[in-house]
Each structure stands twice: as C-alpha cells, then as structure tokens.
Amino acid sequence: MAEEDTGQEKSQEPTQKRIQDARKKGDIARSKELTTLALLMASAAAALLFGGSVGQVMLDLFSFNFDLRRDELIDKAFMSYHLYRSLADAFLSLWSFFLLVTLAVIFSSVALGGWNFSGESLQPKGSRLDPIAGIKRMFSLKSLVELFKAIAKVLIVGAIAILAVYLLRPELMMLTSEAVRSAIDHSLTIIAWAFLVISAAMIFIVLVDVPFQLYDYNKKLKMTMQEIKDEMKSTEGKPEVKSKIRQLQYEMSQRKMMKEVPTADVVITNPTHYAVAIRYDQSKSDAPIVVAKGVDFMALKIREVAQEYEVTVLEAPALARALYYAAEIDEEVPSGLYTAVAQVLAYVFQLRDPSQSKTGARPPAEKELEIPPELRRDN
C-alpha cells in the first residue's frame, strides 16, 4: 500500500520478507562508484605488475609483424600463421591483466548487496516510461546526490590529474633522450603510477556514495504500520485457513500418539476422564517417558488400544491427573513423580515376571503414591 494512498508515514524498518521480496525483484543496494574505483585501481595495479612484460611482448609483436621478407608477404599460409601467433602472444601476455580486473569488478559489485540474480529485473516495465515518474526522479534526493558526485569527480579527479602531470614533467621530458625499449618501459611505469594516483581520488567519492546508497535503499524499503499489518495477514493466512491447519496438525499428532500406546508399559487412568501411557526403557532413557495422554474421548481411546494390545491399565486418579498436567508427550515424567511412577512400574514388572507369584502382586493404593502438593490436581 503506497504511502500517498494511506497518508501514513513510512517510519517502520523493513521486515525480512520485504527485503527478500525486493531481492527477488533484483532490487538490492549497489554502489556504481565502488565498482568504478575497484576497476580503476585493479587496472592500475595490473599495469604496474604486468605492464613491463606486456610492453616487451607488444614490441616483439611489432618486430614480428613488420619485419617481413617479400616471399612471406605473398604467402597466405605464412600470413595466417602471423595472425594466429600474434593473437596467441597477445592473449598470453594480457590474460593475467584481464583476470585481475575481472575479479576486482565481480567482488566489488557484490561487496555491498551480496550475490543476487533475478530474472524480473530484466523484464521491461512500462512504469519506466512514465514521464511524471521520470520528472519526480529528476528532482529527487538521489538525483541531487548523483549531480554532486558528478561535479565532485570532475573537480577532484581533474585537480589530481593536473597535479600528477605537473609533478611528472621532468620524467616525461627525459623520455625523449632514452632508447626505444627503455623509453617504453619507463613511460608505462609513469602512466601506471599516474593512473593509480588519479584513480585513488575516487576513494573520496566512494566514502560518500556507499553510506548514501545504504541509507537510500533502507529508506526506500521502509514500511507504514498498515503495510506491516497487511504483510502479517498475508504471511499468516486467513483465520479459517490457520484453524484448518491447526486441526490437521492436531489430528496427525493424535494418530502418531495412538501408535505409541502399544509400546507403553502401563496406562494410568482417572479412571474415565484422564489416561496417561508410560514407557520405561533403561537402555534408552534414565526416567520413564510419557508416550500418550488424553482426556474424556481420547482417554477412552487410549484405554481401548491398551486393552487391545494387553497393556496394563491401572486406576490411580491423583497420579493420572498430576501426570497429565505436569508431563508432556515424549518427555520424561517430572522428578517429583519419580517415586509414584516407580511404585506403579514395580507392580507392572512384577506381573510380567514369570518367577513372581502374580497372585501376590498388589497394585499400590492411592494413599501410598507420593505426589508433591505442587503437582497435585484435584480435578
């Protein structure tokens, strides 16, 4: 929702979804001046590193291509060889130069906004042809900053270029007295250093442009309170959809829980309102685990499944209520109920032990089960 449509001020910081949507459209923070600086500095550095060798290769190529015999000039095969040899030598001498410059441009381009590719930014947009929008862009803050940068580049870079030429006059005049090869090497060195110094002047422009680009990008993505509310609605979905999702999630969790009931050692009941299934495996956990729990209809289903798979069902109302409210599914029983649950499991394991007399096995009475006051629930 546009700011002019709502009258609301875009004072809220952009959400993560807003930023991600902008990136999908190819809208990210970029500084052309930073890329230009990297290109110029890398070119100057490459000229200093590889300029001498490139110059020698170029001199050799001139000699190779202009010092020809008559029979070579009329031999098409030999001329093809000259062309191939010249291109190969030129490429071999320049590949390191181009590689350094290419890497500098790539990394400087992604230094501010990171890697991003979007096909939407390549699509034509009719809004770019809107004359009114174009006029607004001409008189925007960004246009004023661009004008300031253009003037600053002319003044700063021009001044440093003039100063560099003035300081290098003695060396430039000495070139006329040097041998050809020596003069070429010397001139390349002078040009490379002068180019490096002049390119460094762009640092002042970049120090202004990078913070401004970050500020302008963040300002453009800022949102009104209504936009944040609309985004939350679209992200979370309609209430009826969310309710249906919660219902499906609940049904899935209940089905998963019922599959765990046959693996329980005992089901402790209220007897009708609550049911909690407990499993204890010393090799997997240090304490008994609650594998299922439920009230009313779900408690009835747990008891039915337990009886179907011959899982012991024990009536202990106070313990069943305490376990239901204090323990979560797939978690250990609270430490305060260790003793009471241990008494129940001792009775269950005695029933399973063929060496024990089942007629002598007696379930623990309600008053024998120790339940701390803070875990006790009366209803």
Side-chain angles (χ1 to χ4, degrees), residues 259-271:
K259 292 180 180 179
E260 296 294 327
V261 174
T263 67
D265 293 308
V266 62
V267 173
I268 304 173
T269 66
N270 189 33

Side-chain angles (χ1 to χ4, degrees), residues 33 37 40-41 149 152-161 194-208:
E33 309 303 335
L37 173 64
L40 295 176
M41 296 292 285
K149 289 192 301 181
K153 280 189 282 188
V154 172
L155 295 178
I156 296 175
V157 176
I160 293 180
F195 189 44
L196 181 63
V197 173
I198 296 172
S199 300
M202 287 291 297
I203 294 176
F204 300 104
I205 309 298
V206 171
L207 291 177
V208 174

Side-chain angles (χ1 to χ4, degrees), residues 226-239 242:
Q226 185 61 42
E227 286 176 328
I228 291 180
K229 292 178 182 178
D230 293 342
E231 182 181 289
M232 291 179 62
K233 289 180 181 179
S234 63
T235 302
E236 296 178 1
K238 297 180 180 179
K242 292 191 292 183

Side-chain angles (χ1 to χ4, degrees), residues 37-58:
L37 173 64
L39 172 62
L40 295 176
M41 296 292 285
S43 300
L48 286 172
L49 292 173
F50 313 116
S53 60
V54 171
Q56 291 300 325
V57 171
M58 295 305 159

Side-chain angles (χ1 to χ4, degrees), residues 24 40 52 104 200 337 349:
K24 290 178 181 178
L40 295 176
L337 299 176
F349 294 152

Side-chain angles (χ1 to χ4, degrees), residues 68-83:
L68 300 173
R69 300 190 307 272
R70 182 177 181 280
D71 58 321
E72 294 175 343
L73 290 173
I74 61 176
D75 188 347
K76 293 182 179 180
F78 195 79
M79 297 307 295
S80 299
Y81 166 73
H82 265 253
L83 176 61

Side-chain angles (χ1 to χ4, degrees), residues 46 49-50 53-54 91-103:
L49 292 173
F50 313 116
S53 60
V54 171
F91 173 77
L92 291 176
S93 66
L94 292 172
W95 75 268
S96 53
F97 179 92
F98 290 134
L99 177 62
L100 180 60
V101 172
T102 301
L103 290 176

